[in-house]
Amino acid sequence: MTFVTFFAGSGIQSALEPAGAHAARIGRLWDVFLIISAVVWLLVMIALFIALARRKREETPDGAARARTTVSIATAITLVTLAALLVASVLTGRAIADHAPPGTIQLKVTGKQWWWQVEYDDPDKSKRFTDANEIHIPVGVPVNIQLHSSDVIHSFWIPNLNGKQDLIPGHDGSIQLQATRPGIYRGQCAEFCGLQHAKMALWVHAMTQSDYANWLTAARQPSKIPSTPEQRKGEEVFMSSPCPLCHTIQGTDAGGKTGPDLTHFAGRRSIAAGTWPNRRGYLAGWIVDPQHIKPGSQMPPMLLDEGQLQPLLAYLESLQ
Amino acid sequence: MSAMETTPYALPDSDAEHEQLQKTWGPRRGPFSWFSQIDHRTIGRRFIVTAFVWFGLGGLLAALMRIQLAKPNNTFLSADQYNQIFTMHGTTMMFLFAVPVMEAVAIYIIPLMLGTRGLAFPRATAYAYYMFLFGGTMLYVAFFLNMAPDAGWFNYVPLSAPQFSPGKRIDIWAQLVNFTEISALTVAVEIIVTIFKQRAPGMSINRMPLYVWSMLVTAFMIVFAMPAVMVASNYIGLDRLVGTHFFNKAEGGDVLLWQHLFWFFGHPEVYIIFIPALGMVSTIITVFCRRKIFGYTAMVLSLVATAFIGFGLWVHHMFATGLPQSGQSYFTAASMMIAVPSGVQIFCWIATIAMGKPEFRPPLMFVLGFVAIFVLGGLTGVMLAAVPLNLQLHDTFFVVAHLHYVLIGGAVFPLLGALFFWFPKMTGRLMNERWGHISFWLTFAGFNVTFFPQHKLGLVGMPRRIYTYLPETGWGPLNLLSTIGAGILALGVLCFVVNALYSMKRGAIAGSNPWHAPTLEWATTSPPPHYNFLHLPTVSSTEPLWDHPENAPVVTGLALKKREVLITRLFDAEPDHLYLYPGTTPWAFLSAVATGGMFVALLFTPWALPIGVAIATTTLLCWFWPSSPRDEGEAPEQP
Amino acid sequence: MNGRATIDVSGLPDHAFGSRSIMWWMTVCVIAIEGTVFLVTIASYFYLQGNEAAWPPPGTRLPGLQWPTINTLILLVSLIPNQLAKSAAEKEEMLKVRIWMSVAALFAVGFVIVRTLEFRHLNVSWDSNAYGSITWTLLGFHTFHLVTDLIDTVALLVLMFTHHGYKGRRFVDVSENCFYWYFVVISWLPIYAVLYWAPRLL
Ligand code: HEA
Ligand code: HEA
Ligand code: CUA
Ligand SMILES: [Cu+2]
C-alpha cells in the first residue's frame, strides 16, 4: 500500500502527525475518509476496466436489465456510503466543537500584516502581558484563543494541534488548542493576506505544566536591566532611534504598539514571524533592512552605523 | 463546390438552392467586414481560439509559478510578481478560459446539433465575443503595465478594499468580471432560446442529445449565478470609486457579505464549467462505444439535480470563517449529496461502455482519463466537504490539488477530447490520431505527477498562495516533482495545439461524418456551409443519423432569399412559425467598443457612466434600427 | 445518398405572439437575470441590516415616503395603457398601438421625473454609511433598468410611426415590450416595500 505510506505524515507543521486532542480526532476522521475513498476509487476503476475489456455479446434485453440493476445497486451503495461519511463527519465536528470549560487559559491572538500579536489574559490585570509570534501552552489543558484581526483576513492554523480558523475584521472568532504531548509546533497564516502572506508563521510551545508555570512567571516580569556597557549603549541606541515608536519593552519607556512587543525578544526562536532564525547575523540584517527579506513589511529600514548596530544587537539579545 | 454529395440529408438537384442560400447567408465582404460577421460558426471559431490564447497565457503563468515553487527560498519571482501571477492565473483560467471556452464550443455546435440555421440573436453573439475579447485584452494590458490584480481570483475584502489595495489593480479585476459576465449572460440567453425554440422538427424534449441538455442546464445556471458576482463586483467598484461602505465595517459594512455573494456565484461557476464537459463525455462515449447512452433519463435528471443542488453549497468555501455549526452540517450534507448525481452518471457511462464496443481512439482516451482523474477529484471534494477535515485542508495545496483534478480532469480533458472529436466538423480535416494518443498520455501522466503530490503538500502544512517557503518545512522535493510534472503537462498541451494547427492545413480530409456519429451536426458537410443545412433535418430519436444512414427525412419550403429560420414548439418541436434573422452588421462590434470603453473609463471616473451609457445607447439604437434590407433579414443586394 | 422531403413549412406564419415567439423567451431570460440582480441586492440589504442595532443607523433620517408612493401609483396606473397597447399589438391594430404606447411612454417619463425627487428625499448619501450605500444602489439598479426600458420603448414607438412598423414581427416586439413593463412594475413593488417600509416596520 504505497498509497497509504505516501500519506503517512512527518513534521512539525503537519495535519498527519497530531499532537493535540482536536487534531487527533480529525486525523482519525481523515483515516476513515482516506480508506473509503481509496476503495471507492479502486472499485470504479476496476468496473471501468472490466467494462472495457469485456468480450462483447450481442445486446439482449436481459443485459440492459442487468445493467439497470447494477447501476441502481451502485447508486444505493453510494447513498449509504455518503450517509455514513456524513455521520462520521458530524460526530467529529461535535466532538471538536469549542466548549471552553471555565478556568481554561484564555489567550487573545490578533493577526496583523504580517505577524501575530499574542495577549495572555488574566483576571488580575497586573498579570496580563503581550508577546508576539509565539504561543506557550501547557500540555493537557484546553486553551481558548480569541481571534481578532486588525487589518485584513488572516487564518490561524497549527496543523499538529487543530484545524484552522479565520481572523476576520468585525467578526471575532475563537479556537481551542489542547496539546497532548510537549513539543514545538509550527503554524502559518493560511488565508491570503497580501504581499507577505508567505512569511507570517508562528510557533507553539507545548510545555509540561511545571515548565509552563515557570515560563509564565518569567514572562510576566519586565525585561532584564541591561548588564554590560555594550547592552546599555544598545539600549540608548534603541531609545534614541525610532524603535520605541513602534515597539514596547516592558520596564522601559518604549511603548509603541505598531510592532511586536520585544520585552522577551531574546527568548524567541525566530524573527519577523518565522522568517529567519533568531541569530545575530540575521537580526542585524533584519534591523538594517527589513524590506530586503520581507518586502512590504511594516517596519522601515533603519539607518544605523556599525558603532550603533553591534550594541543594539547585544541589547536585543539581552531581552530575556 | 457542391453541398450535397456526402450527406444523406440533401434533396437531389439542389445546386441552385445551394447557390442562392450561399449568397443569402454568406459573410459580408469588403475592407472592414471582419468586424461585421455574426454567424455562429465564425464567431464560435474565434471564441474558441481566443479562449485558447488565454489558456496558453494562463498556462505559461502557471509554469512561472511552478518554477518559483520548485525549490525553497527561490527568488525567481518576487512576492509582488507571484501574487499578481497566481491571481492572473486563476482569473484567466476561470473567467477567460473555462467558462468561455465551454460557451464557445456550444456557440459552434449547438445550432448544428439542433439542425437549425443559426443561433438566436446572431448579432448578440458577436457582441458577446467582443466583450470577452476586450475584457481579456484589458486584463493582459494591465498585467504588462504591472497593474494586474493581486488579491486572488476570489478577491476577498478587506484585502481588496481601497485601504489595503490602493491603485487600480483591483478595479481592473472588478471590470474584468463585468466584461466576462455580460458576455456569458448574453450567450446563455441565446443558448436557452435556441434550444427551446429552434430544434429540428421531431426533436421533442426527450430526444435532445445529452450535450444539448447539458448546455441548457449550464445556461440556466449562468442566468441565476452570474448576477451575484456582478452585483458584488459593482459593490467593490463603488466602494473604491465613489466611497460607498458595503465592506467597510466602520460604517456598517460587512466583509463576509462579499464571501457570501462571491461563492453564491463561485460554486455554481465550477459546475458551469463541469456540466458542459459531462455533455461532451456522453457524446464521445456514445460515438466511440457505438451505442446509445444507457440511462438517458437518469442522465438528464442527474444534470438537473446537480444544477439545483449546486446553488445550495456555497458555504462549503467558508467553513473556516466560523459560521454556526448547525448551518455548516447542512452544507456538508448538501455537498455530499451532490456526489450522487455525479456517481449516477459515472455508473451509466460505465454501463454504456460495458454494453458497447469501445474503440480506443483519442477522444475516448481523453474521456477514460477524465473518469480516472475526476472520480479522484470528486472524492477529495467529498473530503473537503466534511467540516473537520476542511478546517485542516482549507486554503492549502490540498485544495489546489482538488480544484485542478476536477477542473482539468473534469473539464479540460473532456474538452480536449471533444475538440479532437469536433475538429473535423469545424475544419473539414481530421487531427492526427497518433499525436492525439501521444498528447493524451503526456497530459495524463504530466497531470498526475503535477497535482497528486500537492495533496500531500497540503496535508503536511503547505498553505496555498505562498510565494516561497523555508527548507525546514520539507516541502521541497514534492514541489520539485510537481514542477517536473507541469513540464510534462505543458509538453502534452503543446503537442495537442501543434497537432491542431498542423492538421488544420494538412490533416486528412474528413467528409461529412468521419466518426459515424449519430447527431445532426454530422448531417451536413464539414465544415458546414454558411447556412448550416441545405434542407433542415427532421428527427425521430436521439440518434437520427443511425436511424437514417440514407434517405433521411428533411424539411422543405424555407425561403432562399431571406434569412429565414424555422421556429418550433417548446416541447414537441413541431414547426410553429418562421422568423427572419438580421444580417451582418458592424454595430454589434461598435456597441461592444462603446460598452467596453465605458467600463475602462469607469476605472478612472464615475462620469464615464452617464457619458458611456449615452454613447452605448446610440450604438445600440443603430444596431436595432432597420436601416437596410440586411437588417430585416433580406439577402444583401447582388452586385 | 439523398434525403426525402417530409414537411413543407412554406405556409407557416411569419410571426407569433407570446410564448411561441423567441422574443418572449428572450424577455423571460432578461427578466430572470434582472430579477436575480434585484433579489441579490435585496438579500444584501437585509444582510447589512442584520449588522446594525437600528435601521436606519442612528443619526440617519428615514427616507421620504411621499414621492415613492406617488410613483408606485403612477406605475400601477400605467399598467392600463400598457395592457391596452399589448392587446392592440396582438390584434395588430396600428392606430391603437400608437396611441396607447405613447400614453404608456408618457407615464414612464413621468415616473423618471418623480424618481429624481425620490433620490433627493432618500435623506442619506451613498457615502454616509452602509445603509446609504445599499439604499442608493438598490434604487439605482431599478432606475437603470427603468431608463433603459424607457429608451427602448421610445425607440420602438418611433419605429411604429414609420413604415417599418407595418410588419407582423414589430407587433411582437411591442407585445414583448409591454410584457417587460409588467416586470418593471411588479419588481418595483418589493423594492418599494424594502426601501421605504422595511426601515419603518422592521
Ligand atoms: C469542475 C469543477 C469542480 C467540481 C466538479 C467540483 C466538485 C466538488 N467539489 Fe470542488 N472546488 C472547485 C471545483 C470543482 N469542485 C474549485 C475550483 C474549488 C476551489 C476554489 C478556490 O478556493 O479557489 C473547489 C473547492 C471545493 C471546496 C472548498 C475547499 C476549501 O477551500 O476549503 C469543497 C468543500 O466542500 C469542494 C467540494 C466539492 C464536492 C463535494 C464536489 C462534488 O461535486 C464531487 C462529486 C463527485 C464524486 C464524489 C465522484 C464521482 C462519484 C462516485 C464515483 C460515486 C461514489 C462516491 C462516493 C461513495 C463518495 N470543492
Ligand atoms: C481551468 C482552470 C485551470 C487550469 C487549466 C489550470 C492549469 C494549471 N494550474 Fe492552476 N489554478 C486554477 C485553475 C486552473 N489551473 C485556479 C482557479 C487557481 C486558484 C488561483 C487563486 O488562488 O486565486 C489555480 C492555482 C494554481 C496553483 C496554486 C498557486 C498558489 O496557490 O500559490 C498552481 C501551482 O502549482 C497551479 C498550477 C497549474 C498548472 C501547472 C496548470 C497546467 O495545467 C497548465 C498547463 C498548460 C500550459 C503550461 C500551457 C501550455 C502553453 C502552450 C502549449 C502554448 C500555447 C500558446 C498559445 C495558444 C498562446 N494553479
Ligand atoms: Cu496573514 Cu496570510
Ligand atoms: Cu464549491
Side-chain angles (χ1 to χ4, degrees):
Chain A
M1 301 233 35
T2 49
F3 188 62
V4 171
T5 44
F6 179 77
F7 279 108
S10 70
I12 49 168
Q13 186 171 336
S14 167
L16 298 173
E17 224 168 73
H22 305 82
R25 281 191 178 272
I26 300 178
R28 282 201 288 283
L29 185 67
W30 163 256
D31 292 339
V32 172
F33 270 71
L34 177 64
I35 291 168
I36 291 185
S37 302
V39 170
V40 168
W41 189 80
L42 280 176
L43 288 177
V44 174
M45 287 308 111
I46 292 170
L48 181 64
F49 272 105
I50 294 176
L52 288 167
R54 216 170 82 113
R55 260 189 39 233
K56 309 297 164 197
R57 276 149 286 163
E58 279 308 297
E59 196 158 310
T60 57
D62 195 38
R66 199 137 22 87
R68 206 164 302 129
T69 324
T70 320
V71 168
S72 311
I73 292 175
T75 311
I77 296 177
T78 304
L79 268 168
V80 173
T81 316
L82 286 167
L85 291 176
L86 177 62
V87 170
S89 160
V90 171
L91 289 181
T92 309
R94 291 246 177 89
I96 61 172
D98 292 4
H99 44 83
T104 49
I105 299 168
Q106 299 286 340
L107 293 183
K108 179 174 160 192
V109 168
T110 309
K112 306 193 175 231
Q113 278 178 327
W114 292 274
W115 58 281
W116 307 86
Q117 176 166 312
V118 185
E119 289 160 84
Y120 290 77
D121 200 16
D122 199 284
D124 177 355
K125 251 188 160 176
S126 69
K127 288 185 171 171
R128 294 180 192 167
F129 64 99
T130 303
D131 200 350
N133 299 332
E134 291 193 10
I135 298 178
H136 292 74
I137 59 170
V139 165
V141 181
V143 178
N144 209 49
I145 303 184
Q146 299 296 321
L147 301 173
H148 299 271
S149 165
S150 63
D151 38 49
V152 303
I153 304 178
H154 305 272
S155 192
F156 179 89
W157 184 38
I158 316 295
N160 300 67
L161 299 180
N162 198 349
K164 61 182 70 62
Q165 199 67 46
D166 290 351
L167 294 76
I168 305 172
H171 294 260
D172 295 343
S174 70
I175 193 170
Q176 244 184 27
L177 302 181
Q178 185 176 357
T180 46
R181 55 187 161 83
I184 297 178
Y185 309 106
R186 191 172 188 270
Q188 202 171 338
C189 174
E191 180 67 61
F192 182 66
C193 51
L195 205 56
Q196 289 301 338
H197 160 65
K199 293 184 174 169
M200 184 170 168
L202 81 166
W203 295 97
V204 174
H205 299 252
M207 318 165 97
T208 62
Q209 308 232 6
S210 58
D211 284 355
Y212 178 72
N214 292 340
W215 174 84
L216 202 61
T217 324
R220 284 174 178 152
Q221 308 303 318
S223 58
K224 282 210 198 89
I225 316 266
S227 47
T228 69
E230 192 186 27
Q231 291 168 3
R232 273 193 293 277
K233 168 96 191 310
E235 181 178 21
E236 260 167 47
V237 174
F238 188 92
M239 297 304 162
S240 55
S241 302
C243 318
L245 295 176
C246 299
H247 292 285
T248 296
I249 298 179
Q250 294 296 339
T252 73
D253 291 340
K257 298 282 178 214
T258 324
D261 186 300
L262 297 178
T263 309
H264 298 291
F265 171 73
R268 281 186 207 145
R269 289 175 60 87
S270 59
I271 48 179
T275 305
W276 265 344
N278 190 356
R279 288 206 295 271
R280 182 170 274 219
Y282 293 114
L283 186 57
W286 169 257
I287 289 168
V288 175
D289 191 3
Q291 302 298 321
H292 177 69
I293 178 69
K294 205 169 172 180
S297 152
Q298 314 286 332
M299 174 157 149
M302 294 296 148
L303 288 171
L304 298 169
D305 56 44
E306 198 58 21
Q308 294 175 301
L309 184 60
Q310 292 308 326
L312 178 62
L313 295 173
Y315 172 63
L316 288 172
E317 283 171 347
S318 77
L319 293 171
Q320 293 280 351
Chain B
M1 144 184 161
S2 168
M4 58 224 77
E5 68 257 327
T6 48
T7 84
Y9 279 83
L11 297 178
D13 303 321
S14 24
D15 279 333
E17 287 174 46
H18 165 66
E19 297 287 312
Q20 180 55 45
L21 281 171
Q22 198 75 345
K23 281 184 196 132
T24 309
W25 288 86
R28 185 187 285 216
R29 312 215 176 273
F32 296 105
S33 58
W34 196 88
F35 299 100
S36 301
Q37 312 304 7
I38 58 166
D39 86 90
H40 75 99
R41 277 160 288 95
T42 311
I43 302 291
R45 240 178 2 243
R46 287 184 197 168
F47 227 124
I48 295 174
V49 170
T50 310
F52 264 86
V53 171
W54 303 137
F55 172 67
L57 291 170
L60 291 175
L61 294 177
L64 297 181
M65 289 195 291
R66 283 309 335 158
I67 294 174
Q68 165 68 13
L69 292 179
K71 62 176 212 243
N73 279 339
N74 202 355
T75 51
F76 176 69
L77 297 174
S78 71
D80 182 45
Q81 285 168 332
Y82 189 87
N83 294 347
Q84 289 186 62
I85 287 178
F86 83 71
T87 304
M88 286 290 289
H89 168 73
T91 305
T92 302
M93 290 301 191
M94 299 305 268
F95 291 108
L96 293 176
F97 169 64
V99 174
V101 79
M102 292 301 174
E103 294 190 312
V105 173
I107 288 173
Y108 194 100
I109 295 295
I110 286 285
L112 292 165
M113 225 182 216
L114 296 177
T116 182
R117 295 227 149 124
L119 202 58
F121 318 114
R123 292 177 168 186
T125 327
Y127 176 78
Y129 170 69
Y130 291 114
M131 289 305 279
F132 166 61
L133 177 68
F134 296 160
T137 310
M138 175 194 73
L139 184 68
Y140 274 87
V141 168
F143 180 61
F144 290 115
L145 296 176
N146 196 22
M147 266 172 42
D150 58 357
W153 85 276
F154 39 79
N155 195 53
Y156 275 2
V157 291
L159 183 60
S160 61
Q163 192 189 350
F164 299 103
S165 293
K168 294 292 171 205
R169 290 178 168 191
I170 303 300
D171 304 273
I172 304 259
W173 185 90
Q175 290 308 19
L176 175 84
V177 169
N178 281 335
F179 273 104
T180 53
E181 309 310 84
I182 285 189
S183 166
L185 284 166
T186 310
V187 177
V189 172
E190 298 183 75
I191 287 178
I192 292 174
V193 175
T194 314
I195 294 178
F196 273 174
K197 296 302 292 175
Q198 290 185 214
R199 302 197 302 276
M203 191 186 282
S204 51
I205 211 108
N206 56 338
R207 290 181 191 149
M208 274 168 25
L210 283 169
Y211 177 66
V212 173
W213 269 110
S214 73
M215 280 317 302
L216 181 64
V217 170
T218 304
F220 270 107
M221 290 190 79
I222 292 177
V223 163
F224 292 111
M226 303 260 171
V229 74
M230 285 190 71
V231 168
S233 83
N234 283 316
Y235 288 170
I236 191 120
L238 290 169
D239 268 15
R240 297 177 59 87
L241 193 65
V242 298
T244 54
H245 299 292
F246 289 102
F247 306 120
N248 177 3
K249 77 171 187 310
E251 295 293 349
D254 189 296
V255 296
L256 283 183
L257 175 62
W258 171 268
Q259 299 193 15
H260 282 292
L261 291 176
F262 186 88
W263 291 115
F264 182 77
F265 144 84
H267 186 81
E269 159 102 344
V270 307
Y271 292 99
I272 288 168
I273 295 166
F274 175 55
I275 290 181
L278 297 176
M280 296 169 172
V281 170
S282 293
T283 311
I284 291 172
I285 290 191
T286 311
V287 173
F288 293 94
C289 295
R290 311 253 131 254
R291 189 196 187 282
K292 64 186 263 186
I293 281 287
F294 171 83
Y296 175 88
T297 316
M299 295 294 253
V300 171
L301 291 177
S302 300
L303 290 176
V304 177
T306 308
F308 267 100
I309 307 175
F311 279 94
L313 306 186
W314 78 94
V315 170
H316 73 201
H317 296 270
M318 301 167 60
F319 284 150
T321 58
L323 296 170
Q325 265 250 309
S326 54
Q328 295 195 345
S329 307
Y330 161 79
F331 286 98
T332 300
S335 306
M336 291 195 171
M337 279 314 116
I338 207 160
V340 177
S342 297
V344 169
Q345 300 191 67
I346 300 271
F347 304 146
C348 287
W349 288 323
I350 293 180
T352 312
I353 295 173
M355 292 189 284
K357 307 182 181 57
E359 286 171 25
F360 295 93
R361 305 176 74 178
L364 187 64
M365 296 311 292
F366 277 106
V367 164
L368 297 177
F370 150 84
V371 176
I373 298 175
F374 169 70
V375 171
L376 204 160
L379 291 165
T380 56
V382 172
M383 293 171 168
L384 286 168
V387 178
L389 295 183
N390 183 281
L391 294 181
Q392 283 286 19
L393 302 173
H394 172 67
D395 269 337
T396 68
F397 260 73
F398 191 93
V399 175
V400 176
H402 162 71
L403 73 88
H404 288 92
Y405 263 77
V406 281
L407 282 169
I408 299 187
V412 176
F413 269 58
L415 174 74
L416 294 181
L419 286 176
F420 198 100
F421 171 68
W422 277 316
F423 189 84
K425 182 49 63 185
M426 298 180 183
T427 63
R429 288 171 190 271
L430 289 155
M431 278 172 77
N432 182 302
E433 297 224 3
R434 169 199 271 269
W435 281 98
H437 282 288
I438 294 175
S439 53
F440 166 71
W441 284 109
L442 282 174
T443 44
F444 185 76
F447 172 82
N448 284 294
V449 176
T450 312
F451 294 107
F452 195 74
Q454 294 184 357
H455 293 108
K456 167 103 184 209
L457 282 172
L459 285 160
V460 297
M462 182 167 172
R464 62 195 285 198
R465 301 169 159 189
I466 53 170
Y467 73 98
T468 190
Y469 52 91
L470 297 174
E472 300 86 84
T473 55
W475 302 330
L478 285 177
N479 269 305
L480 182 60
L481 186 62
S482 176
T483 302
I484 293 170
I488 305 174
L489 176 55
L491 201 64
V493 175
L494 195 68
C495 285
F496 192 95
V497 171
V498 171
N499 187 354
L501 293 177
Y502 179 85
S503 307
M504 211 134 54
K505 295 269 176 306
R506 305 272 166 80
I509 299 290
S512 72
N513 190 1
W515 314 110
H516 304 288
T519 38
L520 290 180
E521 76 273 28
W522 305 100
T524 183
T525 50
S526 309
H530 299 301
Y531 49 82
N532 284 356
F533 298 92
L534 191 48
H535 304 101
L536 302 189
T538 73
V539 304
S540 51
S541 79
T542 38
E543 287 81 27
L545 270 68
W546 287 350
D547 302 340
H548 304 285
E550 48 199 303
N551 224 1
V554 300
V555 173
T556 55
L558 277 183
L560 298 177
K561 296 199 173 178
K562 290 180 185 171
R563 295 180 172 236
E564 203 162 67
V565 292
L566 178 64
I567 307 295
T568 50
R569 291 211 298 254
L570 178 60
F571 290 110
D572 56 12
E574 287 304 311
D576 188 79
H577 64 279
L578 302 169
Y579 184 81
L580 289 179
Y581 272 6
T584 54
T585 180
W587 287 108
F589 169 75
L590 293 170
S591 296
V593 171
T595 16
M598 172 175 84
F599 283 161
V600 174
L602 270 173
L603 292 170
F604 304 99
T605 160
W607 291 106
L609 187 71
I611 300 169
V613 166
I615 301 175
T617 308
T618 317
T619 57
L620 285 167
L621 289 177
C622 296
W623 166 347
F624 288 107
W625 195 264
S627 53
S628 82
R630 186 187 275 118
D631 297 323
E632 299 278 49
E634 314 277 343
E637 317 76 53
Q638 314 294 326
Chain C
M1 283 217 291
N2 271 321
R4 69 197 145 88
T6 51
I7 311 176
D8 182 356
V9 297
S10 54
L12 291 178
D14 69 354
H15 65 283
F17 290 95
S19 67
R20 290 170 62 194
S21 89
I22 67 172
M23 293 307 291
W24 190 85
W25 283 101
M26 186 197 76
T27 313
V28 168
C29 288
V30 172
I31 288 175
I33 292 170
E34 292 190 352
T36 313
V37 168
F38 291 144
L39 280 179
V40 167
T41 316
I42 290 174
S44 319
Y45 183 96
F46 287 117
Y47 187 94
L48 291 170
Q49 180 181 23
N51 274 348
E52 295 278 357
W55 192 259
T60 310
R61 279 186 302 141
L62 284 166
L65 199 51
Q66 172 189 8
W67 296 113
T69 309
I70 292 176
N71 244 347
T72 310
L73 293 176
I74 296 182
L75 273 192
L76 287 174
V77 176
S78 76
L79 286 180
I80 297 169
N82 183 57
Q83 178 56 40
L84 291 171
K86 189 167 189 295
S87 328
E90 281 159 24
K91 293 193 204 108
E92 311 197 3
E93 293 170 333
M94 184 55 104
L95 183 65
K96 284 193 182 166
V97 166
R98 288 178 177 166
I99 294 173
W100 291 118
M101 255 191 107
S102 311
V103 176
L106 282 178
F107 271 99
V109 171
F111 187 95
V112 172
I113 293 169
V114 179
R115 174 53 58 84
T116 56
L117 297 168
E118 218 180 295
F119 271 113
R120 285 217 212 145
H121 291 84
L122 280 180
N123 294 334
V124 68
S125 164
W126 63 85
D127 57 2
S128 349
N129 50 35
Y131 161 78
S133 308
I134 188 70
T135 300
W136 273 79
T137 305
L138 184 50
L139 197 59
F141 280 168
H142 188 264
T143 311
F144 187 79
H145 102 131
L146 184 83
V147 171
T148 46
D149 186 52
L150 176 61
I151 295 170
D152 192 43
T153 306
V154 172
L156 190 58
L157 181 61
V158 175
L159 199 65
M160 292 314 282
F161 277 95
T162 70
H163 69 277
H164 295 297
Y166 292 96
K167 288 220 163 113
R169 54 189 295 193
R170 290 287 169 252
F171 290 107
V172 180
D173 292 348
V174 173
S175 163
E176 292 330 321
N177 190 272
C178 297
F179 173 48
Y180 185 79
W181 187 254
Y182 272 102
F183 170 65
V184 173
V185 176
I186 288 168
S187 65
W188 168 245
L189 299 179
I191 295 176
Y192 168 68
V194 168
L195 285 180
Y196 299 102
W197 290 99
R200 291 183 160 80
L201 300 177
L202 297 181

